[in-house]
Amino acid sequence: MKISEFTKQKSLLNELSLNYSNKMILKILRSKKICDQSLIGRSTFYSHFLDKYDLLEKIVKQYASDFKIEIEQRFVSMEDGKVANAIELVTDKMIKNKLEISTLLAVHEVTADLRKEFEQILFRTCLAYLKQQMSSSSIALEYLAELYAANSMMSIHWVLKNGKDANIILFLDQMQEYIFNQLRS
């Protein structure tokens, strides 16, 4: 997908989320309304998207792809001992796109569910890291990966609602370090 296309999609979503309740966006909107709100013609809309669900799916895929890269970089930074910096970078990106991400996290369609995508990315990335780093553990690695994903999602929701908090970033860093150090010992 071209950058300009993603920018258009973000613009469409931004317009929509400013005017409608997050959970009601897809239920009440028609493609014509999306076009009117975004000041584009229907032919332009349909040259890029099959329908409103296709628009949503493409936006979710792009956000999930970007998030996956950020989370993978976060786990690489753990080896350098810079977890707090990585958490802060992810937090800053969340805040930058707060409106769009908040909207997408509240919409749950079969082919486009950002919350589910984020949870799976967090779980899989953490599990891969744990399997690579831990030769044996008395605690199931899958459990730890699910715990990590749940804590991360709670942190994302907190940041989107309340903004960035240096104390929470430090706490997340210390909590993760404590858990992973206990596994190594």
Side-chain angles (χ1 to χ4, degrees):
M1 175 185 321
K2 296 177 186 169
I3 291 175
S4 62
E5 286 181 38
F6 183 59
T7 303
K8 287 179 190 175
Q9 292 171 7
K10 280 182 60 179
S11 177
L12 286 169
L13 181 65
N14 196 10
E15 286 292 321
L16 299 175
S17 56
L18 288 173
N19 295 307
Y20 299 97
S21 161
N22 293 349
K23 294 179 181 178
M24 294 302 295
I25 287 175
L26 289 173
K27 295 191 184 335
I28 63 172
L29 279 182
R30 303 263 184 253
S31 297
K32 181 182 179 339
K33 185 75 169 176
I34 294 170
C35 295
D36 292 345
Q37 288 284 317
S38 305
L39 302 175
I40 62 169
R42 290 183 67 174
S43 61
T44 302
F45 178 84
Y46 286 110
S47 70
H48 292 282
F49 313 106
L50 298 173
D51 56 20
K52 61 187 176 184
Y53 298 99
D54 187 43
L55 165 64
L56 177 67
E57 187 176 345
K58 286 179 179 176
I59 294 171
V60 166
K61 282 183 181 178
Q62 187 63 51
Y63 272 103
S65 174
D66 292 346
F67 184 72
K68 184 175 188 241
I69 292 167
E70 292 168 18
I71 296 304
E72 287 172 349
Q73 290 173 346
R74 178 171 180 220
F75 276 91
V76 167
S77 72
M78 288 174 60
E79 296 166 8
D80 301 332
K82 299 179 181 177
V83 177
N85 292 347
I87 293 171
E88 190 166 0
L89 290 173
V90 171
T91 299
D92 289 342
K93 287 196 176 186
M94 289 285 164
I95 291 170
K96 182 180 174 189
N97 298 304
K98 177 181 177 177
L99 184 61
E100 294 93 343
I101 293 172
S102 295
T103 300
L104 291 169
L105 288 173
V107 176
H108 307 291
E109 292 295 321
V110 174
T111 60
D113 188 332
L114 189 64
R115 181 185 53 79
K116 187 175 178 181
E117 292 287 332
F118 276 14
E119 288 172 350
Q120 289 175 354
I121 290 166
L122 291 162
F123 173 80
R124 290 179 187 146
T125 307
C126 182
L127 185 59
Y129 174 83
L130 291 172
K131 285 180 177 180
Q132 177 187 352
Q133 297 294 318
M134 315 291 169
S135 56
S136 65
S137 172
S138 60
I139 301 172
L141 298 183
E142 290 79 6
Y143 170 78
L144 293 171
E146 283 194 39
L147 180 62
Y148 172 82
N151 284 335
S152 296
M153 288 304 298
M154 187 198 60
S155 299
I156 289 168
H157 286 290
W158 174 267
V159 164
L160 293 172
K161 183 178 178 185
N162 301 295
K164 183 175 169 180
D165 185 330
N167 290 326
I168 290 177
I169 291 172
L170 180 61
F171 175 72
L172 290 170
D173 179 38
Q174 292 170 344
M175 183 172 64
Q176 182 173 314
E177 184 178 339
Y178 174 79
I179 291 170
F180 288 175
N181 283 341
Q182 292 300 309
L183 292 172
R184 289 186 185 109
S185 45

